[in-house]
Amino acid sequence: MENKEAGTPPPIPSREGRLQPTLLLATLSAAFGSAFQYGYNLSVVNTPHKVFKSFYNETYFERHATFMDGKLMLLLWSCTVSMFPLGGLLGSLLVGLLVDSCGRKGTLLINNIFAIIPAILMGVSKVAKAFELIIFSRVVLGVCAGISYSALPMYLGELAPKNLRGMVGTMTEVFVIVGVFLAQIFSLQAILGNPAGWPVLLALTGVPALLQLLTLPFFPESPRYSLIQKGDEATARQALRRLRGHTDMEAELEDMRAEARAERAEGHLSVLHLCALRSLRWQLLSIIVLMAGQQLSGINAINYYADTIYTSAGVEAAHSQYVTVGSGVVNIVMTITSAVLVERLGRRHLLLAGYGICGSACLVLTVVLLFQNRVPELSYLGIICVFAYIAGHSIGPSPVPSVVRTEIFLQSSRRAAFMVDGAVHWLTNFIIGFLFPSIQEAIGAYSFIIFAGICLLTAIYIYVVIPETKGKTFVEINRIFAKRNRVKLPEEKKEETIDAGPPTASPAKETSF
């Protein structure tokens, strides 16, 4: 008995703890080819916007022998920027159908079509003298980003063992930030952000998609998808053997079988069923709060209008593009730091710390913008506030929700949950991009107080409701939320003794709920 107790548990966690080459390379191929698209295309039109507007104007002049008026130019440029999140919304609504019918890996491979075709169209738009190709391509690229931003965390979360799930899951946001940073570098006027180089700048988005098409087919499909949704245990076992590097995988397979039994008991959930189901009430509300808080806390307002903020903080217009690149370095460093810390400190600590830093930075930035005309030295503090905000967002609110949203749903409800999650993410993204200029014009520096308030409210919700999911299986997390929702799981109805055991005390310590 003593040998069993001493010998059985250690091998499983030690083996699961290794980052095997197959898991590492599959993560890199999937994340670079998918999440990169979101980050790159989010940022690529920001710095060289004057170059693009000049192309629009010249094309219009060749057609009509007159230049655009200011209103038409504003409309076309607003469409260029805002079509991307609207395409993302459409993609998030398609992802549920694709991940179930084509699999997680299959969805990512098919999705590359929505990156390569627009890359070609944007690359030839200057020769074709058609700015409409850029606007149309931005919609299609948005669809690509919308699909990948939901399908990729699902794929990575189901590939990784439970003790590496946080680190692997944050790779979605790491590669989004890599995309943002490379777009900032390539967009510099001295590189490709000029009249001669911008077609190449826009066409580069097709390169990661092409690399993924060439590499991802050699890596396994999600073993959870193979076993739970396809009922193919042999394929799941083979995938686990490649991903884990050993043959002793019965504990993980049994966890999948338990999840499969839970799915059969619940049935396959639609979005409407998900919204009406009491047993998933707090999970659904949690992903809505996490996604809305992530966007409404102001990160994309800073991304979209960074140059304006730097200028108002005292940076010369010619130098603001280099300050933006500096913020990109901070973004990457802190996101990678989050990936390292997420399995040590847990999800809740990173989220709470991140929102605390963001809210504080917004409050100080408000004071700086109000008084910098009287005290010019405050302009430097304004730049520090922006960098602090980016650092805080990069360590918690940006990367961690990608991990949590995969963990708090079982296979049967994950598809519908990611559709809701994606719709909230892209709608709030669009709302901020569309409304922030008007809000800033109406109330000026006080607009950042709104973001500080949203940071506070989101942090309170996380502290009160969301449990720590570090090191727990999907089934264990489901049991914690079952107690939140005051429902019994199907297996608990058969074994009433579970409700009276020690687990009732554990979740209560994890939040103040």
Side-chain angles (χ1 to χ4, degrees):
M1 183 72 178
E2 187 176 342
N3 290 336
K4 285 183 181 180
E5 290 176 357
T8 305
I12 295 175
S14 64
R15 287 173 177 172
E16 287 181 347
R18 297 196 192 107
L19 186 61
Q20 296 294 331
T22 300
L23 176 59
L24 174 63
L25 294 174
T27 300
L28 293 177
S29 174
F32 183 63
S34 298
F36 180 91
Q37 307 295 342
Y38 179 8
Y40 188 85
N41 291 293
L42 178 69
S43 179
V44 72
V45 297
N46 292 348
T47 302
H49 61 93
K50 292 181 181 178
V51 176
F52 293 121
K53 290 176 181 177
S54 177
F55 168 66
Y56 285 21
N57 224 346
E58 290 168 5
T59 304
Y60 188 86
F61 182 82
E62 290 184 15
R63 295 177 186 176
H64 304 285
T66 183
F67 290 109
M68 294 183 191
D69 59 34
K71 290 183 178 180
L72 180 57
M73 175 60 76
L74 179 61
L75 175 63
L76 286 175
W77 187 247
S78 297
C79 287
T80 304
V81 175
S82 62
M83 286 301 104
F84 181 68
L86 285 182
L89 175 61
L90 177 60
S92 70
L93 298 177
L94 293 173
V95 73
L97 176 65
L98 288 172
V99 293
D100 273 359
S101 58
C102 306
R104 280 59 165 148
K105 185 179 81 170
T107 298
L108 294 176
L109 290 171
I110 292 170
N111 193 37
N112 288 309
I113 297 171
F114 299 113
I116 293 173
I117 291 176
I120 295 171
L121 293 178
M122 291 189 296
V124 302
S125 59
K126 184 177 181 180
V127 176
K129 297 181 179 179
F131 57 77
E132 294 87 353
L133 289 177
I134 297 176
I135 297 174
F136 171 75
S137 296
R138 293 279 294 174
V139 178
V140 180
L141 285 168
V143 173
C144 172
I147 293 173
S148 65
Y149 196 68
S150 292
L152 178 63
M154 203 181 298
Y155 180 58
L156 297 182
E158 293 175 8
L159 285 188
K162 65 180 182 180
N163 61 316
L164 292 177
R165 201 167 56 223
M167 185 185 71
V168 172
T170 56
M171 289 300 108
T172 297
E173 195 63 30
V174 167
F175 279 89
V176 169
I177 301 307
V178 168
V180 169
F181 180 67
L182 289 181
Q184 291 169 343
I185 294 291
F186 294 149
S187 297
L188 293 175
Q189 189 174 359
I191 303 179
L192 293 174
N194 53 62
W198 68 259
V200 178
L201 176 69
L202 296 181
L204 282 176
T205 189
V207 174
L210 184 60
L211 289 175
Q212 187 183 83
L213 274 178
L214 296 174
T215 57
L216 192 59
F218 295 99
F219 298 106
E221 176 59 273
S222 158
R224 289 185 173 278
Y225 173 79
S226 299
L227 192 150
I228 297 174
Q229 289 182 251
K230 292 299 182 182
D232 188 350
E233 185 168 324
T235 301
R237 187 181 292 273
Q238 183 179 6
L240 282 174
R241 188 178 297 116
R242 292 183 62 192
L243 292 166
R244 305 293 180 259
H246 59 81
T247 56
D248 184 12
M249 57 196 69
E250 282 307 313
E252 196 163 356
L253 284 170
E254 182 53 39
D255 178 57
M256 293 184 195
R257 295 185 195 110
E259 192 171 338
R261 290 192 292 271
E263 176 171 314
R264 285 194 296 271
E266 288 184 356
H268 203 67
L269 300 182
S270 66
V271 172
L272 290 177
H273 193 185
L274 174 69
C275 294
L277 202 61
R278 181 182 175 183
S279 62
L280 295 173
R281 178 179 56 195
W282 283 108
Q283 292 96 308
L284 181 62
L285 184 58
S286 293
I287 63 164
I288 291 173
V289 170
L290 285 175
M291 286 295 110
Q294 182 190 67
Q295 298 300 312
L296 297 179
S297 58
I299 184 59
N300 281 327
I302 288 180
N303 284 336
Y304 286 139
Y305 305 102
D307 290 349
T308 304
I309 291 172
Y310 295 143
T311 301
S312 65
V315 178
E316 294 181 14
H319 298 153
S320 64
Q321 59 180 336
Y322 299 105
V323 181
T324 301
V325 171
S327 71
V329 173
V330 173
N331 212 341
I332 286 183
V333 170
M334 297 309 296
T335 305
I336 293 174
T337 301
S338 175
V340 173
L341 294 178
V342 70
E343 292 297 354
R344 297 182 181 182
L345 300 181
R347 287 64 159 148
R348 275 166 51 85
H349 286 112
L350 291 182
L351 284 169
L352 292 171
Y355 277 114
I357 294 171
C358 290
S360 301
C362 285
L363 291 175
V364 177
L365 183 61
T366 302
V367 175
V368 168
L369 294 176
L370 287 173
F371 294 102
Q372 67 178 2
N373 290 333
R374 302 179 193 176
V375 186
E377 291 78 11
L378 284 176
S379 61
Y380 300 105
L381 180 58
I383 298 173
I384 293 172
C385 287
V386 172
F387 275 53
Y389 180 95
I390 291 171
H393 212 275
S394 299
I395 204 164
S398 280
V400 177
S402 294
V403 180
V404 176
R405 61 184 172 147
T406 303
E407 293 178 321
I408 63 177
F409 289 96
L410 295 181
Q411 202 85 0
S412 58
S413 53
R414 196 170 289 141
R415 181 198 75 154
F418 271 63
M419 290 175 69
V420 174
D421 161 277
V424 172
H425 173 86
W426 290 103
L427 272 176
T428 50
N429 188 319
F430 173 75
I431 289 169
I432 285 295
F434 187 75
L435 293 182
F436 178 72
S438 302
I439 295 172
Q440 189 181 42
E441 185 175 346
I443 62 177
Y446 293 104
S447 57
F448 288 95
I449 292 181
I450 298 174
F451 298 138
I454 292 172
C455 288
L456 175 63
L457 292 175
T458 308
I460 290 172
Y461 181 90
I462 292 167
Y463 181 78
V464 172
V465 174
I466 297 180
E468 180 55 67
T469 57
K470 179 186 72 171
K472 294 182 173 65
T473 66
F474 293 122
V475 174
E476 288 170 344
I477 296 167
N478 192 45
R479 289 191 186 119
I480 294 173
F481 272 103
K483 292 178 174 61
R484 294 279 188 276
N485 295 311
R486 298 182 182 179
V487 297
K488 292 181 181 178
L489 297 175
E491 69 246 32
E492 291 176 328
K493 293 177 182 177
K494 295 178 182 178
E495 300 181 36
E496 292 292 332
T497 55
I498 294 178
D499 292 333
T504 54
S506 179
K509 295 179 181 178
E510 293 168 356
T511 71
S512 298
F513 184 78

